[in-house]
Amino acid sequence: MAQLAVKGLSKKYGKKIGIDGLDLDIADGEFFVILGPSGAGKTTTLKSIAGLVEVDDGAVHIGGTDMTAVEPYHRNVAMAFESYALYPQKTVSENLASPLKSGRTGKYTEAEQTERIKSVTTTLGIDHLLKRFPRELSNGQRQRVALGRVLVRPADVYLLDEPLSHLDAKLRAAMRVELRQLGEMSKTTTVYVTHDYQEALALGDRIAILREGRVVQVDTPENIWRTPADTFVAKALGQPEINLYDATVDDGSLRVLGSSIEVSAPAMLSRGDNARIGIRPCDVDVLAQASTQPGKVNFEGTVVLAERLGRDVEVSVDLGGTTLIALSKGGRHITEGATVTVSVDASDIHIFDGTDGASDVETRRLGAADSKEQ
């Protein structure tokens, strides 16, 4: 186990920026998740830590030692790639033993190899597959073997690059639970890359949101969900995406969708200033009549689409030319064409800076600490 520090890391591929001045401080034993869309620099970050790409600037420190110029096999990190990368001519047992037989990882006796393989395969539930070849395995089984080959030997840092991306939804959910348990048991510093917000929220002790090679926000899953640094972060978490609307300050409150709402504008804004509000679909109640509960904000509209998703219903409500998406629990009373009230607690409304004509992903959350701005 070791603390991991990434300092000012930059890498370009020709004119394309891979990562740009990346700073991360990851605690010893922390399960740290990097979340972002394709092209955000997630894999480049992992490969830079592992030493598989030569960075243009910055440094990588593992356990307090500068590893920037150290060859990959001397960094004592283990990496799982998005592809399974199993030896097709070797059995599961031989694949798992291969890292233990390498001279770069030290010498392990046959008894030590057997013990380590047994421990990992039991944990991953693949101990009955040891004599099979990769071609005889399902995708889920191959994924577990690939993870086992990383976890079978001690390392200071585990680097996991979208290890669940090829699995179906059911297997992904099951493997999330197992990975969380493995992280708690091993206490090894782990950096986990994903584009799946559910994985990030479920697994991470902390999450870093990346956009175009830069860190937008680093925080706990709870804090990132409740106080996203900007609308890019807000849109990265949740499905359906957060609803975003332009607003203006009107005598200390906010005016949005043609009416004033009982939400106080931040003190830094003056009358006439622009803002944006965000409402998560899961925070919206769809009602037959307006809520009279204190602290509730109500909008009246017409249901244009109601899609049942198991027990929940995804509801599209027309609010006078603007659509609001709600995720209603049960939703038996909701029918298309019906007039409804959408109600949300004022404390669940996120307030962001106005865009000033720029893309909304360039805004930041009002009051966010300067250290979180990029």
Side-chain angles (χ1 to χ4, degrees):
M1 297 188 294
Q3 182 183 15
L4 172 64
V6 172
K7 301 181 179 181
L9 218 57
S10 295
K11 175 64 180 178
K12 286 185 177 180
Y13 300 96
K15 294 183 178 180
K16 177 178 172 55
I17 295 175
I19 48 178
D20 187 10
L22 204 67
D23 290 309
L24 296 172
D25 285 302
I26 301 170
D28 185 7
E30 185 174 19
F31 199 113
F32 189 89
V33 176
I34 298 176
L35 175 68
S38 297
K42 305 185 299 297
T43 298
T44 300
T45 300
L46 283 198
K47 288 183 176 180
S48 299
I49 294 170
L52 299 178
V53 299
E54 184 178 347
V55 298
D56 300 323
D57 198 8
V60 175
H61 291 252
I62 300 175
T65 301
D66 188 346
M67 294 288 186
T68 313
V70 175
E71 293 295 330
Y73 51 83
H74 289 313
R75 296 193 183 196
N76 198 29
V77 301
M79 182 168 176
F81 297 90
E82 183 176 353
S83 60
Y84 305 133
L86 300 176
Y87 295 111
Q89 75 279 16
K90 293 185 178 183
T91 64
V92 168
S93 179
E94 291 168 337
N95 267 283
L96 292 171
S98 59
L100 302 175
K101 295 179 181 295
S102 171
R104 296 170 180 174
T105 60
K107 299 290 186 179
Y108 290 90
T109 66
E110 289 294 330
E112 289 172 334
Q113 291 179 35
T114 300
E115 182 60 30
R116 296 199 67 83
I117 290 172
K118 180 181 178 181
S119 175
V120 168
T121 55
T122 300
T123 301
L124 292 174
I126 55 174
D127 46 341
H128 62 295
L129 304 175
L130 292 176
K131 295 183 179 180
R132 296 188 190 180
F133 290 90
R135 64 179 177 272
E136 300 173 306
L137 305 178
S138 67
N139 282 343
Q141 291 168 338
R142 291 174 193 166
Q143 188 68 76
R144 291 166 189 251
V145 175
L147 278 173
R149 198 170 64 176
V150 172
L151 302 174
V152 74
R153 73 173 180 87
D156 289 330
V157 180
Y158 291 140
L159 306 173
L160 307 181
D161 186 9
E162 303 212 39
L164 309 184
S165 60
H166 298 297
L167 305 185
D168 60 39
K170 185 176 180 180
L171 270 175
R172 287 171 75 98
M175 285 298 295
R176 282 203 299 266
V177 174
E178 293 183 10
L179 282 170
R180 180 73 260 183
Q181 292 172 342
L182 283 169
E184 291 172 352
M185 289 188 332
S186 71
K187 298 299 183 185
T188 301
T189 307
T190 301
V191 184
Y192 184 99
V193 155
T194 183
H195 64 273
D196 187 322
Y197 80 93
Q198 290 181 321
E199 284 181 15
L201 294 174
L203 292 172
D205 294 322
R206 286 188 301 149
I207 301 170
I209 309 289
L210 259 61
R211 174 177 178 245
E212 297 179 355
R214 295 186 177 187
V215 175
V216 182
Q217 184 175 4
V218 179
D219 214 325
T220 63
E222 177 75 10
N223 287 343
I224 282 186
W225 177 264
R226 291 188 176 277
T227 57
D230 59 21
T231 55
F232 175 79
V233 175
K235 290 166 69 175
L237 304 176
Q239 186 63 35
E241 279 188 2
I242 192 169
N243 299 284
L244 292 168
Y245 305 107
D246 292 329
T248 55
V249 179
D250 184 10
D251 290 332
S253 62
L254 291 173
R255 186 172 182 83
V256 62
L257 300 175
S259 61
S260 292
I261 60 174
E262 297 297 322
V263 177
S264 297
M268 68 178 70
L269 291 182
S270 304
R271 179 181 175 87
D273 282 349
N274 294 321
R276 300 205 89 198
I277 69 165
I279 301 173
R280 294 195 183 279
C282 59
D283 292 330
V284 178
D285 293 321
V286 182
L287 309 171
Q289 58 185 15
S291 172
T292 58
Q293 296 180 29
K296 289 288 186 179
V297 176
N298 300 304
F299 301 99
E300 187 176 276
T302 303
V303 176
V304 293
L305 185 64
E307 296 181 287
R308 182 163 290 281
L309 309 172
R311 297 182 63 183
D312 300 335
V313 178
E314 184 177 319
V315 186
S316 299
V317 182
D318 178 21
L319 305 177
T322 301
T323 300
L324 180 142
I325 306 296
L327 199 59
S328 177
K329 303 294 182 182
R332 293 176 183 172
H333 67 284
I334 298 171
T335 58
E336 294 178 5
T339 298
V340 295
T341 294
V342 291
S343 181
V344 60
D345 195 297
S347 63
D348 289 328
I349 294 179
H350 302 272
I351 307 173
F352 303 93
D353 280 333
T355 61
D356 295 328
S359 170
D360 60 31
V361 297
E362 296 174 359
T363 64
R364 62 177 175 80
R365 192 180 197 283
L366 293 170
D370 289 342
S371 62
K372 294 181 181 177
E373 295 176 19
Q374 295 292 330

